[in-house]
Amino acid sequence: MITSIIEMLQYDFIQRAIITGIAIAISAALLGTTIIPRRQSMLGDGLSHVAFGASAIAISLSFSPLYTALPCAIAASIIITKFANHKNTNSESLIAITSASALAIGTLIISISGSNIDLNAYLFGSILAVSQIDLIASLIVALVAVTCFIIFRKKIFAITIDNNFAKSIKINTDFYDLVISILCASIVVIGMKALGALLISSLLIFPVSTAIQFTKNFRQTCIASTVISCICLTIGFTLSYTYSTPSGACIVLVNLAAFILANVYRKI
Amino acid sequence: MNKILSIKQLTVEYDSTTIISNLSFELTKGDFLCVVGPNGSGKSTLLKTILGLVKPKSGTINVAAKTLGYMPQENKISDIVPASVTEIVETGTLNQNLSRAEQKKRIAASLKTLGISKLRQKTFSELSGGQRQKALLARAITASNELLILDEPSNNLDHRSKLSFYATLSRLNESGYTIIMVTHDLDHDNLVGNMILSLDPSNRFFGATAEYVERIHHDH
């Protein structure tokens, strides 16, 4: 394993992909700690499908997929989060409707436009597709996410466990919801290239779901999720490189193994 | 008289349905008000309107307290991600511009007041129903030393835990807190507070608890 890591790190595109992946893994794990308790686990899934649909439109119109998908996903994220806070809205249904519709639009546009884009690369990810711009964007997102969690962790926690209490002590919950929505959408759009539209959302869910099997408080959960996410991503990338298998699938399966191990550990 | 809350001609609508209509009452510092009434009579809506979470259609609400300590129903807390009692109580100190030392002091004092100092490192989901209620009350008293707003705090508690919880509330009231509590428990054996607001549309009442009890006896 260590030999494989050293060998693959000699390539520029692998270095780029791993740094981008780790930046996304850290941001996604942190964001997962606030998304999962608010029963928005499938938000990442919905946003990735929106990003996929927007990318399909961008490619068919010869626009940049990143610059088209990012605002679309941010808008979708803000709308979903806004409606999710409304008492009469079922956020799970809203996410499912958005997700299926965006995927259908994307597939239809690719089919009609006769574009020869590699659908598999968008759906399942490719480490070869990670560009210098993706690397810079992922580092900016990670920097913002980590800074937010260092400075505002307690307020984010207050909003996460009890939004009404947070409002009652005059925490600006709308502002934090907006920041979380923008970060989620950014993570999904930037990470989609490496992990694929179908698998990127797993980075928001798996590390936190694994961590909460043995953590005792929110602070521990934030730290453990981040560490687990980085370790699983590195192992997944290495396996992907060693056995020439899709990176997204390998990372998700390593995360699944970690989740099962954590559950077994908890039961012992 | 030190007015801490003044509500005048308050009307609240939800989805074009009037929940609270033309409600007026005032509380002075040190009052302990129980808000009663059947399901759907607007008890929780009234609390949320006082807290600023729900906008009234008309009327005015003046709160003289600088800070409010809100305690929601226990099942409104998300416990999917582990949270320690200290972390939960600590959220009551946010937005008060306290130093770290002052925050710690406030948290320790609240835990001590409610007799749950030993539980400070426990995960919220591991606590019993009564302990959870005390942790949430500790958060509320950390957030405010003036006015507590409690939404059915005795839900899911057995009779003994209820009595213990009400005794704690009475102590807090005697120490100077003004308390507004929504409750379903209008059992004469465990009546708490000096004032009652009944939002029962057929029997609206605001006044002293003793007067309300007398009125109920008379009606029966």
Side-chain angles (χ1 to χ4, degrees), chain A residues 32-34 36-39 86-88 153-155 157-158 160-172 208 211-212 215-221, chain B residues 14-15 48 51-53 68-72 76-78 80-84 87-88 90-95 100 103 121-124 126 136 139-140 143:
Chain A
T33 59
T34 181
I36 293 176
R38 297 204 278 180
R39 302 190 186 280
H86 198 267
K87 201 179 174 183
N88 287 345
R153 176 175 57 86
K154 288 171 185 173
K155 287 185 180 172
F157 168 71
T160 301
I161 60 155
D162 188 354
N163 201 44
N164 276 344
F165 177 81
K167 282 181 181 169
S168 79
I169 57 167
K170 310 296 179 209
I171 290 178
N172 188 346
V208 180
I212 60 176
T215 54
K216 295 281 180 196
N217 58 48
F218 188 70
R219 186 169 172 271
Q220 280 178 13
T221 307
Chain B
Y14 188 76
D15 284 348
K48 286 178 182 167
L51 289 163
L53 305 177
L68 304 175
Y70 174 49
M71 180 178 167
K76 302 288 182 196
I77 301 292
S78 174
I80 296 171
V81 165
S84 70
E87 282 179 325
I88 287 176
E90 189 179 21
T91 59
T93 64
L94 302 176
N95 272 15
R100 186 75 194 117
Q103 281 183 339
Q121 297 304 333
K122 282 263 184 194
T123 306
F124 187 70
E126 292 174 355
L136 294 181
R139 180 179 68 169

Side-chain angles (χ1 to χ4, degrees), chain B residues 16 51 61 72 77 80 89 107 111 115 148 161 170 184 211:
Chain B
S16 304
L51 289 163
I61 297 176
I77 301 292
I80 296 171
V89 176
I107 295 163
L111 293 172
L148 297 179
S161 303
S170 295
H184 275 298
E211 192 186 330

